[in-house]
Amino acid sequence: MSQSSQPPVTSSSKSSAPAATIQTAKLHWQLDDNGVTVPISGDFGDVYFSKTDGLAESRHVFIDGNDLATRLANLRNFERFVIGEIGFGTGLNILAIWQLWQQIRPDNHSHLHIITTEKFPLRKTDLEQALSVWTELAGLSQQLIDNYPPPLAGCHRLNWFDERLTIDLWLGDATSSLSQVTGQGKVDAWLLDGFAPSCNQELWSADLLAQIARLSKPHTTLATFSVASAVKQGLKHQGFTLAKRKGFGKKREMLTASFQPKSTSANFCEVYFRYNKKIKPFFVTLPFTDTFESRRRQRRKANNVKGFELPNFSAITKPLSVAVIGAGVAGLSSAYALAARGHKVTIFDKDEPLAGASGNIRGFLAPKLTSLKRLETNLHAIGYLASCRFYPYLTAQTGINILQTTGCLDLLSHNRLQLDEVKDFPPQFARLLTAEQSKAMTGFDVGQAIFLPNAGLITTANFAQAVLCHPNISFQTEELTYFQQAYFQQAYFQQDCDQVLLTFTEHQQFFDHVILCMALDTCDFLPTVKRFNHSRGQVTWFAVDEHDKAQLPKLPLKYGSYYASFNENSKRHVMLGASFVRDTLDTTPAITDHKMNVADLADAVPDLVNNTDIFTVEKNIPHWQGRASIRSQTVDYLPLVGQVWQAGYESKSRVWSFSALGSKGYAYAPICSELLVGLLCGEILPLANNMVNSLSPNRKVIRR
């Protein structure tokens, strides 16, 4: 609940960037007539849920009002049902629907996807107190609380793959949030549960209702407790057909609606065209008829234009066969996201899984701290938080421990973030420490630092094992041949089967789609990708005895490079890295890189290196181990995630790319995999439209 609205934000508007901070809700707690403590909004003076029975009201107004029990029980195989909610509040509506979904969900690969907005999220402690009233929902409430994100603007995707449930929690203004929602998917049912129009009129504004209509399809339903005249008129204006029904408790009436867009909306399609890079983009609205596609092709041919559209495939009714080329963190994450949706995935790699840059003995999971005032930098925070949820979930599903949450200190050695900008981050995400606090936490003088409580170490081998044990995933050691590039360009679409033909060293095989997760080798297969920047990175690790262990920092350090310690084979190990050497493909471990890693640590924590002999290269080098690999990055430092356009088949291309993660693979991979698979499967996407375009392999063309 508790939202306010602003004018709608387009994908090209600079104002679409999230606010620097998200203000949490101000609550008052009071006893109702039954002696139950209920939360009251201090900003809007309205109750979060019914004093009589909020759970029963949610079921009556929103579940029954949208006929969700029948609709969810009858979902077809691979059908994705989307519910949109205005006003997350305490999450009670979602928990009620979640409970219903557990009881009636079909035994197939159908999926429930909930999109909800909240400008003033409750603090986690307040959320726990509010939900403690509903004892029958205790198990679900705890799962929601455990995955509840800190108050950072943007979309926070919460996945329960085993339950076929996805929740996208957009924090920020409702109108602005919905304006950033993109993807081929549409909302099937809406829950309008903001505070009453008399308390928060802006939440029921025309701009917000226009966004609701934009994300709806014919016959999308809507339910709300409000029967205010302004609400009814606004919904009618957007094309909703209204009906009144009996309200809950003392409320005499409530409102339901069905989206019936006017013919000018239902029968027209907006297509984005661009003549060339010297002419500004423009929108053309054309009648959507049987001859629409042929007319569009004729016009594009005559004017030499390209249409820029999201992927467009027919509805999925059976498992897809997908080839993932590359078994690094990008390939494994993409494979899991597809497999969890019920699709069949074959991973191909010329080497063993995680043989490249993703395969260090430990992966370091920590965010790059940047100001949240720009949308593109928000990927660091949103991606990192998604990773902090994904790896524990995978551990819970498989019993294989992947993430060791240790916390970490960012020493700000190579960080452009201004100290006064740290206040933009909630303390449960990042907290600025004084020099005294930092010393108490590490045992060394490191000056002011930022504490990252959710950072930790990834056991990379365990991650690969957890992914590859999924029954829908298989792995083959095969190398894709380079001459396949011409085939992609000229004839990868088969007239009879509409699949992709891949040629490997020993055989050929058809797939519905192919995802290229080949890091630097991606450039050899995609003519639209000219080059990646690349650099060599070597990590150093070695065992220490009990005496040396006592002299080490008490938690990992981040300082451009990183320091960490971990247990391996019943011994304590220290890990440093990784070195950074540009424009080389040599992966042979080198003493010079060991020295580079020690020198970086000495610059950050001189007392640690100078007052012990643990890091003396000449003395200890025989006992040190090293692993070197090649990082690949784009020139704008953002990965390539999305569909690779092929001439004449831009929206129908079945070739995809997920590459160039640089040194942020384990922080980026889970959210970027959700984006990639969402594009491939025609879903609503977990990132804002601006970011989707920024990550696209075709972004140079889009930005012309």
Side-chain angles (χ1 to χ4, degrees), residues 4-19 170 172-182 205-212 214-215 283 375 688-691 693:
S4 63
S5 296
Q6 298 174 357
V9 183
T10 64
S11 60
S12 61
S13 174
K14 295 181 179 179
S15 61
S16 64
W170 284 83
D173 174 77
T175 305
S176 178
S177 294
L178 292 186
S179 73
Q180 299 175 67
V181 175
T182 187
S205 68
D207 291 335
L208 178 61
L209 297 180
Q211 291 298 331
I212 290 174
R214 179 182 72 85
L215 294 170
F283 286 91
L375 178 65
N689 185 59
N690 275 3
M691 180 52 63
N693 290 338

Side-chain angles (χ1 to χ4, degrees), residues 401-554:
N401 189 34
I402 299 170
L403 173 63
Q404 179 189 3
T405 302
T406 59
C408 156
L409 275 192
D410 189 326
L411 304 186
L412 302 170
S413 303
H414 293 74
N415 202 316
R416 298 179 180 177
L417 187 70
Q418 300 296 316
L419 292 182
D420 62 351
E421 293 185 284
V422 177
K423 67 179 185 298
D424 292 348
F425 295 95
Q428 58 267 49
F429 178 82
R431 186 170 74 251
L432 182 63
L433 304 181
T434 64
E436 292 75 16
Q437 291 172 325
S438 299
K439 184 175 182 179
M441 190 167 285
T442 63
F444 293 89
D445 290 318
V446 294
Q448 282 190 298
I450 297 176
F451 178 56
L452 305 169
N454 300 310
L457 298 176
I458 301 286
T459 304
T460 57
N462 288 1
F463 170 64
Q465 181 185 355
V467 170
L468 293 175
C469 72
H470 196 287
N472 290 339
I473 297 176
S474 61
F475 174 81
Q476 296 184 29
T477 305
E478 295 275 4
E479 182 175 3
L480 192 66
T481 56
Y482 288 159
F483 62 81
Q484 206 62 22
Q485 179 180 342
Y487 187 86
F488 285 166
Q489 290 180 317
Q490 298 173 12
Y492 65 85
F493 277 99
Q494 304 300 302
Q495 295 181 354
D496 296 331
C497 55
D498 198 29
Q499 290 183 316
V500 183
L501 177 62
L502 301 183
T503 300
F504 300 93
T505 307
E506 301 293 335
H507 75 289
Q508 292 183 323
Q509 195 169 346
F510 284 100
F511 290 92
D512 293 321
H513 297 269
V514 58
I515 304 174
L516 303 180
C517 306
M518 305 170 68
L520 197 61
D521 291 342
T522 303
C523 302
D524 295 324
F525 288 87
L526 302 181
T528 56
V529 179
K530 301 300 181 183
R531 68 179 180 88
F532 288 157
N533 294 332
H534 61 275
S535 61
R536 165 195 168 93
Q538 178 179 310
V539 294
T540 302
W541 74 92
F542 51 89
V544 295
D545 57 27
E546 289 299 319
H547 176 267
D548 292 336
K549 178 181 176 181
Q551 303 179 66
L552 298 174
K554 300 175 183 178

Side-chain angles (χ1 to χ4, degrees), residues 261-279:
K262 301 176 182 179
S263 58
T264 55
S265 300
N267 298 325
F268 280 67
C269 179
E270 194 173 59
V271 184
Y272 182 36
F273 290 99
R274 191 189 301 269
Y275 278 98
N276 57 57
K277 63 181 181 181
K278 297 181 180 180
I279 300 179

Side-chain angles (χ1 to χ4, degrees), residues 152-166:
L152 286 174
C155 178
H156 300 267
R157 172 157 291 189
L158 317 180
N159 266 322
W160 288 268
F161 293 111
D162 57 315
E163 302 203 37
R164 308 197 309 274
L165 172 68
T166 297

